Amino acid sequence: MDLFNKNMNKKQGSGFNILSGDSTDGHGGYGVGALSLDNLTPVILDPIDERVFIDMGAIHARSEIEKKVKLVESLEELNDPKLYWMIWVTTALTEAGEPKYSGIGACHYYREEEAPAGSRFKRAYKSMPEHVNNMDKALKGRIIVDQMDEKSLYMLREYLKGFSEQYWNNSDEKLHEALNGA
């Protein structure tokens, strides 16, 4: 049962990043204390068109929804913007060594559907502090979904369950509660 099967035709790459080698594994040299994005996966959620998909380009602001876009400084500058959720999902291993969803940081992303007259680029708005802070919190295993509406929470929950029931079942109860709107 694929609730969001509209996305199955979209090339999804390799899926969620799983923990890999840590470049700061105790050698004490260059890069110690640097942020590792090995277990970070960006998930894009479009509640209007009911699409949820992984887009690794979001790590470098090159996701499907960020291409051919000019960022503006305030949401008020946009004409009839569409809301997307850019969600930073991290994975980790349980004490038994099983994979689980660890942290989630949901961020607003607004984009006009049409470029203004005379421009090739659509306009969009995102709060860089929100994106950076929520990504950091997700990397630290926190769950930041309190701004998401019920439909978006449902879509994210079902997508994560559908992607890997094993990850879902191994995840902490606080993650389940947050995505169930409890």
Side-chain angles (χ1 to χ4, degrees):
M1 176 174 113
D2 291 327
L3 292 173
F4 303 104
N5 57 6
K6 295 179 196 176
N7 305 314
M8 293 302 132
N9 295 331
K10 178 170 174 43
K11 184 179 175 192
Q12 292 190 356
S14 62
F16 278 85
N17 281 338
I18 307 302
L19 293 175
S20 63
D22 183 1
S23 65
T24 63
D25 60 0
H27 64 74
Y30 179 77
V32 169
L35 190 61
S36 171
L37 303 179
D38 285 347
N39 62 337
L40 178 74
T41 301
V43 174
I44 308 294
L45 191 147
D46 176 350
I48 304 297
D49 291 335
E50 296 184 344
R51 293 181 359 159
V52 183
F53 56 95
I54 292 171
D55 193 332
M56 295 306 292
I59 291 176
H60 300 290
R62 300 275 188 257
S63 69
E64 172 187 308
I65 63 173
E66 295 172 291
K67 290 181 181 172
K68 296 184 181 178
V69 164
K70 178 184 188 268
L71 289 177
V72 295
E73 292 188 23
S74 74
L75 179 58
E76 291 74 30
E77 294 179 54
L78 300 180
N79 295 318
D80 194 28
K82 179 178 176 181
L83 168 67
Y84 295 85
W85 290 100
M86 195 168 290
I87 305 161
W88 306 105
V89 179
T90 56
T91 56
L93 298 176
T94 65
E95 289 181 18
E98 297 290 323
K100 68 175 184 173
Y101 299 119
S102 174
I104 300 176
C107 306
H108 297 96
Y109 182 85
Y110 297 92
R111 186 183 79 180
E112 294 175 335
E113 293 305 293
E114 299 294 326
S119 176
R120 320 180 306 172
F121 300 102
K122 296 176 184 179
R123 297 182 307 170
Y125 172 77
K126 68 178 178 180
S127 166
M128 285 305 291
E130 177 189 35
H131 282 253
V132 171
N133 290 334
N134 288 357
M135 179 193 295
D136 180 61
K137 289 174 183 174
L139 285 165
K140 292 175 180 172
R142 296 200 36 213
I143 312 316
I144 311 298
V145 295
D146 53 319
Q147 294 184 45
M148 293 181 78
D149 59 275
E150 209 171 296
K151 177 182 180 181
S152 298
L153 282 171
Y154 169 80
M155 290 174 63
L156 178 59
R157 178 178 69 242
E158 295 305 311
Y159 182 78
L160 294 176
K161 280 183 186 177
F163 187 87
S164 174
E165 188 110 11
Q166 178 188 20
Y167 285 27
W168 179 260
N169 291 337
N170 291 335
S171 297
D172 297 337
E173 192 58 35
K174 67 179 180 178
L175 185 137
H176 292 180
E177 289 172 5
L179 291 181
N180 283 320

